[in-house]
Amino acid sequence: MDSPGYNCFVDKDKMDAAIQDLGPKELSCTELQELKQLARQGYWAQSHALRGKVYQRLIRDIPCRTVTPDASVYSDIVGKIVGKHSSSCLPLPEFVDNTQVPSYCLNARGEGAVRKILLCLANQFPDISFCPALPAVVALLLHYSIDEAECFEKACRILACNDPGRRLIDQSFLAFESSCMTFGDLVNKYCQAAHKLMVAVSEDVLQVYADWQRWLFGELPLCYFARVFDVFLVEGYKVLYRVALAILKFFHKVRAGQPLESDSVKQDIRTFVRDIAKTVSPEKLLEKAFAIRLFSRKEIQLLQMANEKALKQKGITVKQKRQFVHLAVHAENFRSEIVSVREMRDIWSWVPERFALCQPLLLFSSLQHGYSLARFYFQCEGHEPTLLLIKTTQKEVCGAYLSTDWSERNKFGGKLGFFGTGECFVFRLQPEVQRYEWVVIKHPELTKPPPLMAAEPTAPLSHSA
């Protein structure tokens, strides 16, 4: 069998143990749909040489800024930037946020080369303010590049992508934090059992979800991360969300009902991802990721934009240094006759992430405002979203989350009608906790209007009296 053609940065023994070079040597297809299928099936995953060729081709086809640094630029600047320093002692750029460089199957020379490339990227992309995923990307690309300069050029093209409809790597704190919030929204919607576990075992579920990119860019073993990256280069950012959701689903399946091994669920998930080969193969991980239904690029874009807007309103900017955003329900400033702080945190973890940043404000209480429905509407109209909590004479507690203003109940001119959006939900806390989704999420066929009738926006929450 021909040599796989590893470069001087790769430890051959580690590489052979991680990925057997047994696959096909050529790829002839050019159609995107066929490429998607081949990437998901792992067509080039078992051939080191072919994966290198495919990466070169896919990255070459990324639409980039007019002036994007290439291999020749690296040759010109690397000596000036690195100087006489030992590559193993080079500092990392500030924008990687102290992220460790994953070694994967690189030797000592390769690990030093990643640091050199990262410093040169920082020099050529001064607008990058926060990009903790970059060390893992560069480390992976170095396995499949002829030399440092080629790896640098590939990374530059990924960073310089200027297709507005194609998101690749987050390069600012604002983009990164909104991605974390968007991931939280998706977990809330598509992984309810896992979300329930996260809420139960963590003080602040947003902090758990803020770690989602680290699971992929750093903790995943090379053979898994490379498979994810294969599909990512073809299909884009949504692949990362899908795989992270699949990881969380498998973590929940393995750990549900078991005590956590540490005081931090974040650390437990990291350990699980590092040892993921004990639980699931790369093929099964991707199969689970793409089995999640009703998951579109449009949905991600809308969530991302909404979360970025919410962060900007909270004062988070593109250039801001690393800081954590927390769920805004605190024991010292929350009082309720109906729910405890812990129960309120559970409810708050269900609302869209962009609103979970806000401290809840009491609008109406029967103890303060009486039992008049007109007074209730007066107090609540003009505010959105709102959370309704009800406690019955039998001590049962239920409620609803309304994504739109209560005044919308009047939009049908006094006729009975529903209002709200797909983010609305109803729930029960006592005698047992249960959340009920918008019915269309479970049954999309219900969005089709019945014959001879106009379709109305629906959300089974509230209706006009």
Side-chain angles (χ1 to χ4, degrees):
M1 185 178 69
D2 294 338
S3 167
Y6 301 138
N7 59 41
C8 61
F9 306 110
V10 175
D11 184 317
K12 181 181 182 300
D13 293 334
K14 288 183 181 178
M15 195 69 179
D16 284 341
I19 302 175
Q20 294 296 315
D21 194 64
L22 304 173
K25 303 302 179 186
E26 296 296 333
L27 177 69
S28 58
C29 81
T30 57
E31 295 296 324
L32 178 61
Q33 223 30 59
E34 188 179 355
L35 270 177
K36 280 185 178 182
Q37 291 302 316
L38 293 178
R40 293 187 186 188
Q41 293 166 7
Y43 181 81
W44 55 81
Q46 294 300 319
S47 171
H48 183 88
L50 180 57
R51 180 177 264 154
K53 293 177 183 176
V54 173
Y55 281 6
Q56 184 77 5
R57 170 180 158 184
L58 293 175
I59 294 173
R60 181 195 62 212
D61 291 341
I62 294 174
C64 293
R65 304 170 193 169
T66 305
V67 180
T68 297
D70 58 15
S72 63
V73 171
Y74 183 81
S75 302
D76 291 340
I77 66 174
V78 64
K80 302 171 187 176
I81 293 173
V82 175
K84 297 181 180 180
H85 297 286
S86 168
S87 58
S88 61
C89 299
L90 289 172
L92 292 173
E94 187 177 353
F95 63 67
V96 305
D97 193 42
N98 297 318
T99 301
Q100 295 297 310
V101 177
S103 59
Y104 298 133
C105 294
L106 297 176
N107 53 29
R109 183 177 178 183
E111 291 179 32
V114 172
R115 289 176 174 267
K116 290 164 64 177
I117 294 167
L118 286 170
L119 286 174
C120 291
L121 290 170
N123 173 269
Q124 292 297 299
F125 292 86
D127 54 329
I128 298 179
S129 59
F130 194 75
C131 192
L134 196 55
V137 172
V138 172
L140 174 65
L141 291 175
L142 192 58
H143 290 73
Y144 299 97
S145 301
I146 296 173
D147 53 24
E148 294 175 21
E150 183 183 292
C151 179
F152 168 82
E153 181 173 316
K154 289 176 179 174
C156 285
R157 292 195 66 82
I158 291 173
L159 292 170
C161 175
N162 63 356
D163 182 348
R166 188 174 185 182
R167 187 188 181 99
L168 290 177
I169 297 179
D170 296 330
Q171 299 175 41
S172 71
F173 176 73
L174 178 64
F176 174 85
E177 197 65 52
S178 62
S179 293
C180 293
M181 293 170 64
T182 298
F183 178 68
D185 286 327
L186 295 173
V187 174
N188 203 345
K189 185 172 180 179
Y190 295 105
C191 306
Q192 291 188 16
H195 181 67
K196 186 175 181 179
L197 175 65
M198 296 301 104
V199 172
V201 300
S202 61
E203 281 297 316
D204 190 343
V205 73
L206 288 188
Q207 293 309 298
V208 178
Y209 299 150
D211 217 31
W212 79 278
Q213 287 196 24
R214 176 165 175 164
W215 306 342
L216 308 177
F217 297 100
E219 303 296 353
L220 270 181
L222 175 65
C223 58
Y224 288 76
F225 179 48
R227 284 297 306 278
V228 173
F229 202 76
D230 292 346
V231 189
F232 164 73
L233 284 179
V234 177
E235 300 191 43
Y237 202 86
K238 69 173 184 179
V239 171
L240 305 181
Y241 284 125
R242 283 187 172 278
V243 175
L245 288 173
I247 286 172
L248 201 57
K249 282 178 175 286
F250 280 116
F251 176 80
H252 171 260
K253 182 178 180 180
V254 171
R255 295 298 174 83
Q258 299 180 12
L260 295 176
E261 296 177 1
S262 72
D263 294 332
S264 168
V265 68
K266 283 178 65 172
Q267 191 57 50
D268 272 9
I269 297 177
R270 290 178 186 179
T271 302
F272 173 80
V273 176
R274 284 196 296 271
D275 299 332
I276 197 169
K278 298 177 181 177
T279 305
V280 61
S281 66
E283 291 73 26
K284 289 295 183 182
L285 180 64
L286 287 175
E287 182 181 312
K288 172 72 77 173
F290 288 102
I292 301 171
R293 300 296 182 188
L294 299 175
F295 195 123
S296 68
R297 181 180 286 107
K298 183 68 173 177
E299 177 183 10
I300 292 172
Q301 289 174 340
L302 291 174
L303 285 172
Q304 195 84 23
M305 288 190 296
N307 286 326
E308 283 194 7
K309 182 179 178 181
L311 285 167
K312 288 177 181 177
Q313 291 172 346
K314 296 288 287 185
I316 305 300
T317 65
V318 170
K319 296 290 184 181
Q320 188 158 340
K321 299 297 181 183
R322 186 77 177 101
Q323 63 170 285
F324 287 114
V325 180
H326 299 271
L327 285 175
V329 177
H330 307 292
E332 62 273 13
N333 55 15
F334 177 77
R335 296 289 182 273
S336 172
E337 299 293 327
I338 297 179
V339 294
S340 66
V341 173
R342 181 70 196 190
E343 288 174 325
M344 189 60 181
R345 282 180 176 164
D346 289 350
I347 299 169
W348 218 237
S349 73
W350 295 335
V351 308
E353 299 282 340
R354 60 190 182 277
F355 299 123
L357 302 177
C358 305
Q359 179 67 24
L361 173 68
L362 181 64
L363 299 176
F364 177 89
S365 167
S366 57
L367 293 178
Q368 295 180 35
H369 304 100
Y371 295 93
S372 166
L373 187 60
R375 180 66 183 273
F376 170 81
Y377 288 147
F378 177 78
Q379 293 291 127
C380 295
E381 285 181 1
H383 298 276
E384 64 176 58
T386 52
L387 188 71
L388 177 65
L389 292 170
I390 300 171
K391 189 172 187 178
T392 71
T393 56
Q394 302 300 315
K395 308 300 182 184
E396 297 167 325
V397 177
C398 59
Y401 171 77
L402 290 92
S403 59
T404 55
D405 195 324
W406 282 87
S407 63
E408 284 203 10
R409 74 188 190 283
N410 299 317
K411 66 183 179 182
F412 302 109
K415 295 181 180 179
L416 209 61
F418 298 104
F419 67 94
T421 70
E423 291 184 322
C424 298
F425 59 87
V426 294
F427 60 88
R428 179 177 62 189
L429 292 181
Q430 297 293 341
E432 62 182 13
V433 178
Q434 185 67 50
R435 178 175 53 145
Y436 302 94
E437 283 187 304
W438 191 43
V439 68
V440 174
I441 292 175
K442 297 290 188 184
H443 303 284
E445 68 276 5
L446 295 181
T447 57
K448 299 176 181 178
L452 304 178
M453 291 180 65
E456 294 287 357
T458 64
L461 269 182
S462 308
H463 59 80
S464 55

